Amino acid sequence: MNFDPRFTGRNFSSVGTRPIRPDGIDKVTGRARYGADFNMAGQLVGRVLRSPHAHAVIKSIDTSKAEKLAGVKAVITAKDLPDLTDGDAAMYDILDNSMARKKALYDGHAVAAVAAIDARIARQALKLIEVDYEVLPHVTDVDEAAQHHAPLINDQVFTEGLEEKPAKPSNVTKRTQFGHGDVHKGFAQADFIVERSFKTEQTHQGYIEPHACVASVNPDGTADLWVCTQGHFVYRQHCAQLLGLEASKLRVTSSEIGGGFGGKTHVWAEPVALALSRKAGRPVKLVMTRDEVFRASGPTSATSIDVRIGARKDGTITAAEATLRYSAGPYAGSWAEIGAMTAFACYKLENVKTVGFEVLVNRPKTAAYRAPSAPMAAFAVESSIDELAKELGMDAVDFRIKNAAQEGTRASYGPVYGPIGIGPTLEAVKKHPHMKAPLKANQGRGMACGFWFNFGGQTCTDLNIGMDGSVSLAVGTVDVGGSRASLSLVAAEELGIDYGNVKAIVADTSSLGYNDMTDGSRGTFSSSMATISAARNAIKILRDRAAQMWDIPVDDVTWEKGHAIAKGEKYGNLSPLSLKDIAAKSGTTGGPIAGHSELVADGAGVSFATHICDIEVDPETGAARVIRYTVVQDAGKAVHPTYVEGQYQGGAAQGIGWALNEEYIYGKDGRLQNAGFLDYRIPVCSDLPMIDTQILEIPNPNHPYGVRGVGETSIVPPLAAIANAVSNAVGVRMTHIPMSPPRILAALDAEREG
């Protein structure tokens, strides 16, 4: 059916309110079922044997002793997951990451797995598996890996994106470039130029729930997978292809999710659990330990970035250039490409160039982390912008306002912007009381801007109206940030009924058409569009049923505030019929009433934010503490403002941990030294201030309600805002994230010695 997604200004009755979350009671009482909470009759316990080496040839694997152990029902290696990828390089990488084939490529790479009747026997069986390794030289640093003399991780990789194919293989998988104008000409016009190099260390998303699944492959070729995931339809496609199953015969059910932030957009253990179940003939439950989550599931990239920006005396930026090197783990990715696209997206630039390099390292396969790649690029660019403002003698906010992108600006990565919110967020920050508050000794204030694309994608939704007037909304986008509440509000708004009469569920893959992954801040944007479409289709049926009940033409029936209205003076004797009235008679007017929608949600609308941070640094210990933090961000339209504020605050909190504490630490042996929350320290409540938020609403013209995605942009500015605050507090430009106490002290010592 035709659906017009364009924004139309309207007054809202449900959207924009703050009802209680529908999943709240189950979660606080322990009734909600997460990945590890599901069980099947006769299930076995799965465990994975992982490489203790960062880089090694697997010469042989002997599983005979483990197979003979009483209670062991299946042992698998790569031979039990044959290559069925048919030349698809991306799928082969997923297969190889699930179970190492010729080489172990990082500390923690899976090499074998067992299924046993209990965890004790499974652990014992792992110890009986004998693996003969030939240890190879390894490289874990992104800059070292990019050197021509670095140990080669994959000798079949030749750098793509160069004018000529290289003669020798390399750890650099791809070069990408974006921009327009002539940067050489632009720098020649500059009165001031700032040039800096920056580094960020690898971080984990820090979700509390580890990866977990229950897999059951049946003798008839059907299979079930219960899993914590951000995209059960994508998991179905990937797992089916890797195991040679028909996708239609694999039903995947998403559990409640205890955090994902992009880390649960990739399959890790699920193909292994399915392979174990197929071999054992029984269901298999596989739950990663925290150590495994850190060592073997995807963190973000470590980066090395060079930035050069020039400006005239009047504050106009004349040229901007960045070279970005991003680690991808041992498999090709597009992380530097995204960083190169986002780096200068906040600004109106005549001459701009960004070049990204994807670099292989002996670390786990990189995964998305909430606006993947953008925070690191923003750290480098926004730090340089701040330093350039100082060189010019301009206020940091005013300098950004002067150069901010606006409607009609050609973005540094290509498109021309429509209505956008970067200017309004900067103006709001300039007027915010936070910017005028006094600071004490050893305190500094910083601010920074951030950008994210947002995505839409394939979406399918069912809306069913019960005879009691209740509405069941089945969606296929996993709820990672409150979308069930938001989508219920949207359905209530469109139908004109009370929010309490709508219940949203996440349907399994056998109950609904295909839906893309919940990533790219697409969940509420795309599913709300499909919900509006489905509700409007249901309203057409409601109008038709009302016309039957009244015995009048359907064209004489309108829908207003949850009621069918017979329009015209000639129907003055006909009282409005409520949705509940019509539903109650559905059995005699044509049967169940439902609305369905399938669409590709285009026009997600880009998102911008500006953050302010106050920080206090102890000059003796180097310890830094955030004492005040403010987020200003454009939401398009805040469907559920409490959830929107929570997204803003969550992104800022994660950014604070990333900026000050969090990093993967590898030893000289290439092994991860801090694979747990004791040594990998994420922020706790006592580390954080109350985070203030200000929601701006610049409607997205490509959504009926003006909605933009909000979940990812809030993590983009914090690294830079905090770095600017620390730099202002200590009087030294900080260029290495995280800014842990030793790094701050080292920067102070270097400044004194210099």
Side-chain angles (χ1 to χ4, degrees):
M1 296 183 182
N2 292 330
F3 173 68
D4 186 355
R6 290 176 297 180
F7 172 70
T8 54
R10 59 181 290 174
N11 294 320
F12 296 101
S13 57
S14 294
V15 166
T17 62
R18 300 171 183 260
I20 61 170
R21 54 190 300 163
D23 55 338
I25 293 176
D26 283 352
K27 287 182 175 177
V28 299
T29 58
R31 287 201 296 264
R33 292 200 298 175
Y34 292 87
D37 293 329
F38 186 73
N39 297 288
M40 297 182 74
Q43 75 183 18
L44 303 171
V45 176
R47 288 289 186 271
V48 178
L49 181 67
R50 301 188 179 277
S51 168
H53 305 292
H55 195 196
V57 173
I58 301 172
K59 298 176 69 175
S60 65
I61 303 178
D62 185 351
T63 62
S64 58
K65 293 180 182 177
E67 290 167 349
K68 294 174 183 176
L69 181 66
V72 171
K73 302 300 180 182
V75 182
I76 66 167
T77 62
K79 67 182 181 182
D80 297 287
L81 281 166
D83 181 10
L84 305 175
T85 60
D86 194 25
D88 185 328
M91 288 303 300
Y92 181 84
D93 286 349
I94 295 172
L95 176 68
D96 189 70
N97 189 55
S98 297
M99 187 67 69
R101 314 186 86 68
K102 299 176 183 177
K103 292 199 298 182
L105 298 174
Y106 56 90
D107 167 40
H109 199 167
V111 296
V114 303
I117 59 174
D118 60 39
R120 180 186 63 83
I121 293 174
R123 288 193 296 267
Q124 187 178 352
L126 292 184
K127 295 177 181 178
L128 296 175
I129 298 174
E130 298 175 358
V131 185
D132 184 12
Y133 295 101
E134 178 188 341
V135 178
L136 301 173
H138 65 269
V139 59
T140 58
D141 180 79
V142 63
D143 283 325
E144 292 177 9
Q147 300 299 316
H148 65 86
H149 53 73
L152 271 181
I153 294 170
N154 185 341
D155 60 11
Q156 299 302 306
V157 169
F158 293 81
T159 307
E160 298 177 7
L162 301 178
E163 292 184 2
E164 295 182 7
K165 182 178 178 179
K168 296 182 179 180
S170 166
N171 290 328
V172 179
T173 67
K174 185 169 62 173
R175 177 191 185 274
T176 52
Q177 181 175 320
F178 298 91
H180 53 257
D182 185 337
V183 291
H184 297 294
K185 179 180 176 182
F187 282 118
Q189 297 171 350
D191 297 309
F192 294 91
I193 295 175
V194 165
E195 189 168 1
R196 284 277 188 181
S197 295
F198 300 85
K199 290 203 73 157
T200 69
E201 297 300 330
Q202 192 167 51
T203 54
H204 198 271
Q205 299 86 350
Y207 39 81
I208 303 303
E209 178 199 25
H211 297 272
C213 65
V214 179
S216 179
V217 179
N218 306 311
D220 63 357
T222 62
D224 285 276
L225 180 67
W226 166 279
V227 61
C228 55
T229 173
Q230 291 178 237
H232 48 318
F233 288 90
V234 174
Y235 274 40
R236 178 187 66 176
Q237 300 299 106
H238 287 178
C239 289
Q241 184 173 348
L242 295 180
L243 277 90
L245 303 172
E246 290 184 38
S248 62
K249 293 184 177 181
L250 173 59
R251 180 177 63 179
V252 182
T253 303
S254 64
S255 69
E256 290 287 353
I257 186 168
F261 314 112
K264 291 175 181 172
T265 58
H266 300 248
V267 296
W268 307 105
E270 295 77 17
V272 173
L274 284 163
L276 284 169
S277 175
R278 180 167 61 185
K279 191 167 186 177
R282 288 168 62 175
V284 173
K285 184 174 188 175
L286 202 162
V287 181
M288 277 189 173
T289 64
R290 183 65 58 190
D291 178 89
E292 289 179 302
V293 169
F294 274 99
R295 292 173 59 214
S297 68
T300 190
S301 298
T303 73
S304 172
I305 303 172
D306 306 320
V307 175
R308 191 177 187 222
I309 308 175
R312 296 192 187 97
K313 293 177 181 177
D314 67 356
T316 303
I317 296 177
T318 60
E321 187 174 23
T323 302
L324 309 95
R325 295 165 292 275
Y326 280 59
S327 68
Y331 305 104
S334 297
W335 310 109
E337 181 176 3
I338 298 171
M341 294 173 75
T342 63
F344 293 108
C346 291
Y347 299 104
K348 178 176 59 179
L349 303 169
E350 291 187 7
N351 305 292
V352 59
K353 177 183 176 182
T354 57
V355 179
F357 294 95
E358 317 289 346
V359 184
L360 301 185
V361 293
N362 292 117
R363 296 191 181 207
K365 173 182 170 66
T366 295
Y369 181 10
R370 205 170 191 164
S373 303
M376 305 83 124
F379 161 59
V381 169
E382 290 293 301
S383 295
S384 301
I385 288 283
D386 230 51
E387 191 168 4
L388 185 53
K390 285 186 173 63
E391 291 284 331
L392 292 163
M394 287 187 68
D395 175 79
V397 179
D398 290 337
F399 182 48
R400 287 173 170 86
I401 289 173
K402 183 176 181 65
N403 293 283
Q406 54 195 259
E407 185 173 357
T409 294
R410 183 183 179 190
S412 56
Y413 63 97
V416 175
Y417 289 135
I420 57 174
I422 180 63
T425 66
L426 283 164
E427 294 289 352
V429 160
K430 184 175 181 179
K431 298 173 185 175
H432 200 283
H434 187 166
M435 290 300 290
K436 301 175 180 65
L439 293 169
K440 298 178 182 178
N442 300 319
Q443 294 180 352
R445 176 169 297 138
M447 54 80 57
C449 301
F451 160 89
W452 186 242
F453 308 95
N454 292 334
F455 301 109
Q458 300 178 76
T459 313
C460 183
T461 297
D462 275 338
L463 186 151
N464 292 278
I465 300 174
M467 292 184 69
D468 60 354
S470 63
V471 173
S472 175
L473 183 66
V475 301
T477 44
V478 175
D479 183 356
V480 299
S483 61
R484 279 171 293 187
S486 296
L487 298 175
S488 295
L489 282 170
V490 169
E493 183 72 48
E494 201 65 30
L495 293 170
I497 61 176
D498 185 78
Y499 164 83
N501 291 332
V502 183
K503 180 177 178 59
I505 63 166
V506 179
D508 66 53
T509 57
S510 296
S511 304
L512 198 63
Y514 181 84
N515 280 260
D516 280 328
M517 187 82 65
T518 301
D519 62 1
S521 298
R522 66 171 297 270
T524 296
F525 167 78
S526 60
S527 279
S528 66
M529 191 180 290
T531 297
I532 293 168
S533 174
R536 291 178 181 177
N537 290 334
I539 288 170
K540 292 177 184 177
I541 298 172
L542 288 164
R543 289 175 53 235
D544 181 73
R545 301 298 177 83
Q548 290 184 49
M549 293 168 69
W550 282 327
D551 194 22
I552 66 174
V554 69
D555 289 344
D556 289 344
V557 181
T558 62
W559 190 263
E560 299 175 20
K561 298 180 179 180
H563 292 76
I565 308 292
K567 61 183 180 181
E569 294 181 3
K570 59 183 176 180
Y571 301 127
N573 62 327
L574 297 178
S575 298
L577 292 172
S578 69
L579 180 147
K580 187 174 182 179
D581 294 333
I582 301 168
K585 298 293 185 181
S586 61
T588 59
T589 60
I593 300 172
H596 181 76
S597 176
E598 60 283 320
L599 50 79
V600 176
D602 292 324
V606 295
S607 177
F608 293 90
T610 302
H611 291 198
I612 318 167
C613 173
D614 291 355
I615 206 152
E616 184 172 88
V617 179
D618 185 329
E620 294 185 0
T621 65
R625 181 173 65 93
V626 177
I627 55 177
R628 187 172 180 180
Y629 204 99
T630 300
V631 176
V632 181
Q633 185 174 323
D634 170 26
K637 177 61 188 177
V639 177
H640 193 305
T642 300
Y643 276 114
V644 172
E645 291 163 351
Q647 291 292 330
Y648 291 3
Q649 292 163 334
Q654 289 179 310
I656 289 170
W658 190 344
L660 296 179
N661 295 310
E662 298 180 40
E663 66 176 309
Y664 271 38
I665 300 173
Y666 278 86
K668 292 182 179 180
D669 58 358
R671 303 199 67 186
L672 184 61
Q673 296 183 334
N674 59 332
F677 283 140
L678 180 63
D679 297 311
Y680 181 96
R681 191 173 182 280
I682 63 173
V684 296
C685 289
S686 58
D687 296 316
L688 301 171
M690 293 300 293
I691 297 171
D692 297 325
T693 61
Q694 183 176 343
I695 299 172
L696 302 186
E697 295 185 327
I698 293 88
N700 175 9
N702 301 307
H703 186 282
Y705 293 178
V707 170
R708 299 178 191 268
V710 301
E712 293 176 283
T713 312
S714 54
I715 203 173
V716 180
L719 305 191
I722 296 165
N724 288 336
V726 172
S727 299
N728 291 335
V730 301
V732 179
R733 174 54 54 185
M734 301 300 299
T735 60
H736 196 162
I737 294 289
M739 294 169 290
S740 56
R743 287 203 179 102
I744 291 177
L745 289 178
L748 289 171
D749 290 343
E751 180 72 11
R752 293 189 195 102
E753 293 171 2

